[in-house]
Amino acid sequence: MDQTAPLLQKIVEAHTQLRANQPLVQCITNSVAANYVANVLLACGASPAMIDNPFEAENFTRISSALSINLGTPTTEQMQAMQISANTAQQASVPWVLDPVGYGNILSWRSEMTNELLQYQPSVIRGNASEMSGLAGNQVTGKGVDSTLDSAEVYIQAWTLLDHAECIAISGESDFILSKELNSVIQVNGGCFLQPRVTATGCALGALIAAYCAVTDVTIATLSAHVHFAVAGQLAYQTAQTVGSFNVAFLDALDSLTADQISEYANFSIIHR
Amino acid sequence: MDQTAPLLQKIVEAHTQLRANQPLVQCITNSVAANYVANVLLACGASPAMIDNPFEAENFTRISSALSINLGTPTTEQMQAMQISANTAQQASVPWVLDPVGYGNILSWRSEMTNELLQYQPSVIRGNASEMSGLAGNQVTGKGVDSTLDSAEVYIQAWTLLDHAECIAISGESDFILSKELNSVIQVNGGCFLQPRVTATGCALGALIAAYCAVTDVTIATLSAHVHFAVAGQLAYQTAQTVGSFNVAFLDALDSLTADQISEYANFSIIHR
Amino acid sequence: MDQTAPLLQKIVEAHTQLRANQPLVQCITNSVAANYVANVLLACGASPAMIDNPFEAENFTRISSALSINLGTPTTEQMQAMQISANTAQQASVPWVLDPVGYGNILSWRSEMTNELLQYQPSVIRGNASEMSGLAGNQVTGKGVDSTLDSAEVYIQAWTLLDHAECIAISGESDFILSKELNSVIQVNGGCFLQPRVTATGCALGALIAAYCAVTDVTIATLSAHVHFAVAGQLAYQTAQTVGSFNVAFLDALDSLTADQISEYANFSIIHR
């Protein structure tokens, strides 16, 4: 029996729910990504709000349907807001996603904060292969915020990270989602080689996972966000092959994606442990 | 007699003046909107400068032709700059626009700052229906930074805000502009349902009001900015129907808008008190 | 003999190297430009990372192939990061570019910081005519962050700035590059009048100079970045004539630019002292 069919059904349902519910997603994100993340969430049907100061963080997390924390270009005030919001999210059972951009021994300030944030039990931790391998305890030399490793090679190392989160998602040419619930890995194919050549696509994916967490369970949410991105990337490339136009087409595809397109183009498989 | 005809004539003149004068507009705005606001102002013909630190705020406001203050994602340093610049603007008779993003009891830090800034008598206060209703003293539960109320239902509540500013502008499916000078409300129709699905369009509208304030009186400036946006949104939708392309077409339309297009598509009416 | 031919050959080689090496470029830039600068660098083939906090600046500059410092919207923490990274770059022989946005007597905080940063010997200082004239010691009244002077009129004034850097680049309708190595000025023509009507193009050019410095010598790097921009701007205008579409086409052209296009469209000349 095809084990992906029931998952695909749930992805389609989650996509419909996201559009219908327009969940409020608090994003504490970086200066490069802020505008783009907001536009991606709006295109996908969510309602983003970039509340990232420590004076309003607690109140705002309490009324949010999900929280996305991204460590791309942290400031001292944002760091304080991250701690408060992550703590509040755990207390108030608001699902939240941690994106430890640039994790590794070079960027120690954010890496120490990432380690601290783990205590608040993120629903999902997502990142590229270098970041996830580093977070799993390996010595990694990333290239700034871009990965020097292949997602297919490191996803096994990331099993230990399921102590900290329900899902671990590693993006790359193929994306790998480790699910505690399923005790399995889901490999998501598709997307487009141009996605990493547009800045902040990974950051936006993290926020989209959070948005989906507001309307479905964590594993389906993580999978749905990755499939949404992969199919939209594939469709966008059909209309645009250079980065400027591709990015416009990608936002268009995120917006106009239909249940039929998800069903037709979704490409993922389950790897049992 | 058609009371809108003389206003329309002044809108066309203001649009010409904006292009001709390229006024310098200081913007203290949020991290989501900064790039977009600058591009919108450039597209419309103004010269934006996002000087938002407290150490240069006073000097810069003095040489600016207008000031736009937006409370989307404030930092402590920006908050200080806002107070200094608003104070300076009042002293130096520089017109300024206040956009109290997210005003309400949940986001108390910015709301208290908004209340403080009112003492410096903004030329215009603009926002969505939830924000303006909250500012007028009503208990409002906004959805983050998006409105949960309809502009047509709340504009009457906003009359009391004319104690603080010469114009109050409430954006929504129709926009409502309350003018102290005219002792009337102007309802602006048009635009496109996709505008709120592109982030920071409201923030950019606030900055554009400020830009117009540099070249005409406050009521005409507020009206001109809303008409500029509404007509450009309508024209953009004729060429693009999904959010990515729409946003590109919107910037194109803001840029290429002609006097003839304003005259043909402007759609507003006067509601006497 | 045509003196530009050997330079053109080196520009083409540098362009190939940039694509092949994808150098890591640390950018400390402004809130308006952050997203755009990252996308421009990615489109051109470099790997940007906006590490702009003082706690990670030293470590990160050490592993970067180049550094770009831009004073558009500085915060106190960014100012600290700028000093640390500039100092580290000098010590570790990492080439770095200084873009003193808004330099002048009105914006004194950043101007004093710019003066301090000169001690760390930037490889290149770039800016518009007002900024470069001001930095060379003239009394200049800029219009915010836009120039009120013509690059052709002020480039001679900038000779003294070669005490502080190997190259001085002044952008405008024509760009002028002063090279200590060549003891000459190179005038770069081309580009498009729409480039200054898209925000942060100048900021992105500064970061692109840094990226090229990672793969070739400073004079060729500065020239290559300007030619890359000028040719891409010219090609973009062939497909789009309003600012929104132009910006998309410009990113496309930055991405798809070929050696043949560089050879065909590059337009520069040498002005001996």
Side-chain angles (χ1 to χ4, degrees), chain A residues 31-32 36 72-76 105-111 143-146 194 196-200 241-245 247-248, chain C residues 19 21-24 31 34-35 38-39 42-45 47-53 55-56 59-60 63 77 248 251-252 255-256:
Chain A
S31 59
V32 182
Y36 190 67
T73 60
T75 63
T76 297
N105 56 330
I106 299 290
L107 296 170
S108 54
W109 187 48
R110 70 187 62 200
S111 300
K143 184 176 179 181
V145 296
D146 295 327
L194 287 176
R197 296 203 54 226
V198 174
T199 197
Q241 292 81 40
T242 40
V243 294
S245 303
N247 196 20
V248 174
Chain C
R19 288 275 178 192
N21 293 6
Q22 303 182 347
L24 177 59
S31 60
N35 181 272
N39 273 330
L42 285 167
C44 294
S47 176
M50 273 59 185
I51 308 301
D52 62 354
N53 69 74
F55 317 109
E56 300 174 328
N59 269 0
F60 201 76
I63 67 153
E77 288 191 354
V248 174
L251 285 164
D252 283 343
D255 175 13
S256 64

Side-chain angles (χ1 to χ4, degrees), chain C residues 150-248:
Chain C
D150 186 342
S151 55
E153 290 168 4
V154 309
Y155 76 84
I156 291 299
Q157 302 169 6
W159 269 112
T160 56
L161 294 175
L162 287 175
D163 291 347
H164 302 293
E166 294 174 56
C167 276
I168 304 298
I170 306 166
S171 50
E173 198 179 319
S174 285
D175 302 321
F176 293 86
I177 299 166
L178 286 63
S179 165
K180 197 189 288 182
E181 181 198 353
L182 300 185
N183 196 30
S184 298
V185 177
I186 307 172
Q187 178 173 349
V188 181
N189 303 309
C192 175
F193 72 96
L194 288 175
Q195 276 165 301
R197 296 202 54 225
V198 174
T199 198
T201 46
C203 306
L205 176 56
L208 186 60
I209 296 169
Y212 270 109
C213 282
V215 298
T216 187
D217 71 74
V218 172
T219 295
I220 298 299
T222 307
L223 179 56
S224 296
H226 282 80
V227 167
H228 197 147
F229 253 50
V231 175
Q234 204 173 332
L235 293 173
Y237 190 69
Q238 293 177 5
T239 59
Q241 292 81 39
T242 40
V243 294
S245 303
F246 173 79
N247 196 20
V248 174

Side-chain angles (χ1 to χ4, degrees), chain A residues 113-188:
Chain A
M113 175 56 70
T114 296
N115 293 340
E116 273 190 53
L117 291 173
L118 291 179
Q119 74 182 292
Y120 304 116
Q121 289 283 325
S123 311
V124 184
I125 309 173
R126 79 150 299 278
N128 65 36
S130 287
E131 291 154 358
M132 292 297 107
S133 181
L135 195 57
N138 300 289
Q139 281 289 339
V140 176
T141 311
K143 184 176 179 181
V145 296
D146 295 327
S147 188
T148 54
L149 298 174
D150 185 342
S151 56
E153 288 168 4
V154 309
Y155 76 84
I156 291 299
Q157 302 170 7
W159 269 112
T160 56
L161 293 176
L162 287 176
D163 291 348
H164 301 293
E166 295 175 56
C167 275
I168 304 298
I170 306 166
S171 50
E173 198 179 319
S174 285
D175 302 323
F176 293 86
I177 298 166
L178 287 62
S179 165
K180 195 188 285 181
E181 180 197 353
L182 300 185
N183 196 30
S184 298
V185 178
I186 308 172
Q187 177 174 350
V188 181

Side-chain angles (χ1 to χ4, degrees), chain B residues 19 21-22 24 34-35 38-39 42-43 47-48 50-51 53 55-56 59-60 63 77 248 251-252 255-256, chain C residues 31-32 36 73-76 105-110 143-146 196-199 242-245 248:
Chain B
R19 289 276 178 192
N21 292 5
Q22 304 183 345
L24 176 61
N35 182 271
N39 274 329
L42 285 168
S47 176
M50 274 57 185
I51 307 301
N53 68 74
F55 316 110
E56 299 173 330
N59 269 0
F60 201 75
I63 66 153
E77 287 190 356
V248 174
L251 285 165
D252 284 342
D255 175 12
S256 63
Chain C
S31 60
V32 181
Y36 190 66
T73 60
T75 64
T76 297
N105 57 330
I106 299 291
L107 297 170
S108 55
W109 187 47
R110 70 188 62 202
K143 185 176 177 181
V145 297
D146 295 327
R197 296 202 54 225
V198 174
T199 198
T242 40
V243 294
S245 303
V248 174

